[in-house]
């Protein structure tokens, strides 16, 4: 039987990695412009962290965590592959006393996460996020900064079709009142709703609002909205946030059904959707979580953050044609490809290659014993900018013809000055054949 990668995981092959690196590099540049510093928590955490932070009755904790192992027999210290990074970042801040050093922290991360989900387009079991956590402020302008940053990350990649959906789910105080109102209004409609929503009615009634099933959406139409139940402070926070977003001319839409699947959120929640992504159209999401730091044993701390799913970014880039555009615009091949004429020249050519690389040039040579013409085809396929054919004559004369693959022009240059000549040759962008 052919061995396969686990379901819901992907190999990122050499021809895919450049685009991933482009996404990562573009993201880092934007994040650093906004003043965020990178943090790298471990791939696994003690399971209790997610149970406490994400919530015992959420889908993630109940169904989607990869949990295993125990350090000592009989001890409840199993670990879980991180299904999200907000809780690990808060844990890392507290464990390393970051707030004692600087009470306001702006942190970002980029890396893999693991959820045991039903696999489909844009939904994997190992996926990647770029995300931020800004901790130490209750200022609604910080919510605005994170939303603008999420947009800037997508803008930076040329993705401009996204939509921002926004809601406030209030604080535990407003939610307590709203929970009772919602339950009373929902109870007579439950029989027409899916089993999941029936379970949610008891466990976490707010999640009923963002069920995607048609019959549930119909049954929940016209229900009272949390907007009408926000307390004074939550209303004021949301008002300031909306005003600032409008002031920034950022397009957003109020979605009173937006709840999100984590217990830690308070007040602001938002999602960025990308219309062509289909069923999994959320490209990113986040919100404020003013109670989480305290819940995990730290001081009372206002905080807000979001994460963007990189696989979904990649789908959006591919489907919009931006990926192909970017790939064809970049120069990928080596600066020079050295062809050899006889087997005897190979060692001397390899020495020359070593010298070019030591001078910082991307240079390559044939390792498959191909003939002269096939070597030229390889150089062309690789997208080499220049080619030099080295035979006994060239080594005797001490010079070689440097051919520009884009224009076909040739120039005789001394072997001793080859690196300088390659550097000096004007760069005419060439793309690998077939690109
Ligand atoms: P989330 O909404 O679960 O939020 O994930 C954020 C994004 O990660 C989603 O919008 C989606 O693009 C991507 N994503 C999630 N699950 C998968 C999957 N199975 N396969 C592929 N992509 C996926 C969080 O994780 C929060 N921790 C965000 C946050 C940060 N809130 C505050 N700070």
């Amino acid at each position: 039987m052919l061995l396969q990668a686990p379901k819901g995981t992907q190999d990122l092959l050499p021809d895919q990695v450049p685009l991933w690196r482009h996404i990562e590099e573009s993201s880092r540049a934007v994040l650093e412009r906004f003043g965020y510093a990178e943090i790298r928590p471990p791939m696994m955490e003690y399971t209790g962290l997610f149970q406490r932070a994400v919530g015992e009755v959420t889908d993630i904790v109940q169904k989607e965590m990869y949990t295993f192992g125990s350090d000592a027999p009989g001890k409840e210290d199993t670990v879980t592959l991180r299904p999200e990074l907000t809780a690990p970042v808060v844990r890392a801040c507290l464990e390393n006393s970051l707030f004692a050093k600087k009470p306001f922290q702006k942190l970002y991360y980029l890396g893999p996460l693991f959820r045991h989900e039903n696999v489909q387009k844009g939904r994997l079991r190992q996926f990647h996020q770029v995300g931020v956590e800004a901790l130490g402020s209750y200022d609604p302008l910080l919510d605005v900064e994170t939303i603008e940053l999420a947009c800037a990350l997508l803008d930076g990649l040329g993705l401009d079709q996204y939509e921002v959906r926004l809601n406030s789910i209030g604080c535990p105080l407003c939610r307590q009142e709203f929970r009772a109102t919602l339950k009373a209004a929902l109870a007579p409609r439950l029989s027409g709703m899916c089993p999941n929503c029936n379970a949610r009615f008891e466990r976490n009634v707010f999640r009923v609002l963002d069920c995607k099933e048609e019959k549930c959406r119909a049954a929940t139409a016209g229900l009272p909205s949390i907007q009408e139940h926000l307390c004074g402070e939550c209303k004021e926070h949301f008002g300031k946030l909306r005003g600032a977003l409008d002031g920034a001319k950022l397009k957003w839409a109020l979605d009173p059904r937006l709840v999100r699947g984590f217990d830690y959120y308070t007040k602001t929640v938002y999602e960025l959707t990308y219309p062509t992504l289909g069923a999994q159209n959320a490209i990113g999401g986040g919100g404020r979580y003013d109670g989480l730091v305290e819940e995990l044993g730290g001081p009372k701390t206002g905080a807000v953050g979001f994460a963007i799913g990189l696989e979904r970014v990649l789908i959006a880039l591919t489907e919009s044609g931006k990926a192909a555009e970017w790939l064809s615009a970049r120069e990928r091949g080596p600066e020079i490809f050295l062809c050899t004429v006889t087997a005897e020249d190979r060692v001397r050519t390899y020495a020359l290659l070593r010298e070019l690389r030591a001078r910082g040039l991307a240079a390559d040579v044939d390792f498959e014993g191909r003939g002269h013409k096939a070597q030229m085809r390889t150089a062309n396929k690789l997208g080499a900018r220049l080619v030099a054919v080295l035979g006994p004559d060239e080594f005797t004369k001490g010079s070689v013809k440097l051919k520009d693959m884009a224009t076909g022009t040739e120039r005789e240059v001394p072997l001793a000055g080859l690196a300088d000549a390659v550097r000096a040759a004007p760069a005419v962008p060439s793309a690998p054949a077939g690109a």
Side-chain angles (χ1 to χ4, degrees), residues 165-167 169 258-260 265 267-271 286-287:
R165 290 159 54 228
L166 184 67
N167 194 17
I169 56 162
L258 183 64
V259 178
R260 300 199 29 82
Y265 287 124
K267 295 192 171 116
T268 317
V269 286
Y270 54 90
E271 237 163 48

Side-chain angles (χ1 to χ4, degrees), residues 206-370:
F206 305 114
R207 289 304 313 272
V208 167
L209 295 176
D210 66 4
C211 181
K212 303 283 181 285
E213 286 216 17
E214 215 32 74
K215 61 178 178 190
C216 301
R217 291 196 86 78
T220 53
L223 279 179
S225 151
I226 179 84
Q227 294 299 315
E228 298 141 27
H229 290 80
L230 292 181
C231 70
E233 191 198 316
C234 289
K235 213 179 266 172
E236 189 187 333
H237 186 97
F238 200 41
K240 284 185 178 160
L241 163 62
R242 294 162 65 151
L245 285 179
D246 290 340
K249 304 234 165 2
L250 197 143
K251 277 221 314 239
W252 60 276
L254 179 69
D255 182 354
R257 282 174 177 267
L258 183 64
V259 178
R260 300 199 29 82
F262 302 86
D263 280 0
Y264 50 62
Y265 287 124
T266 52
K267 295 192 171 116
T268 317
V269 286
Y270 54 90
E271 237 163 48
L272 282 83
T273 51
Y274 203 81
T276 59
L277 285 181
Q280 302 306 315
N281 69 350
I283 202 164
R288 184 163 271 284
Y289 50 96
D290 290 343
L292 184 60
V293 178
E294 210 179 357
E295 166 67 28
L296 297 182
K300 223 175 155 315
T301 308
V304 55
F306 70 83
I308 286 177
L310 297 189
E311 280 75 8
R312 294 188 192 173
V313 164
L314 203 90
I315 296 174
L317 282 174
T318 306
E319 289 181 354
S320 64
K322 299 278 176 200
E325 222 173 80
W326 180 81
L327 283 168
S328 70
R330 71 187 261 280
E331 202 184 351
R332 281 169 290 180
E335 283 156 284
I336 179 161
F337 192 90
L338 303 180
C339 298
T340 46
V341 177
T342 67
E344 294 71 51
D345 306 320
R346 283 188 43 87
V347 176
R348 284 191 288 187
T349 304
Y350 191 81
L352 206 55
L353 178 81
R354 186 186 298 123
E355 222 177 285
L356 291 172
R357 287 176 174 167
R359 294 282 306 273
L361 289 163
D364 226 329
V365 73
D366 166 68
F367 284 103
E368 296 168 279
R370 290 168 185 262

Side-chain angles (χ1 to χ4, degrees), residues 60 83-86 109 115 117 122-124 127 129 132-133 260 262 264-265 271 282-287 289 304-309 311-312:
I60 290 186
E84 66 101 52
L85 266 156
T86 309
Y109 47 80
R115 294 184 193 171
E117 301 212 64
R123 187 193 270 169
L124 293 145
F127 60 99
Q129 285 183 345
V132 308
E133 311 300 343
R260 300 199 29 82
F262 302 86
Y264 50 62
Y265 287 124
E271 237 163 48
I283 202 164
Y289 50 96
V304 55
F306 70 83
I308 286 177
E311 280 75 8
R312 294 188 192 173

Side-chain angles (χ1 to χ4, degrees), residues 337-350 352 365 372 375-376 387-402 412-413 415 418:
F337 192 90
L338 303 180
C339 298
T340 46
V341 177
T342 67
E344 294 71 51
D345 306 320
R346 283 188 43 87
V347 176
R348 284 191 288 187
T349 304
Y350 191 81
L352 206 55
V365 73
H372 170 221
Q375 289 180 49
M376 287 302 276
V387 169
V389 182
L390 293 142
D393 287 354
E394 280 70 23
F395 285 109
T396 311
K397 295 188 292 193
S399 66
V400 68
K401 275 192 187 131
L402 205 53
E412 186 91 14
V413 301
L415 284 183
L418 188 57

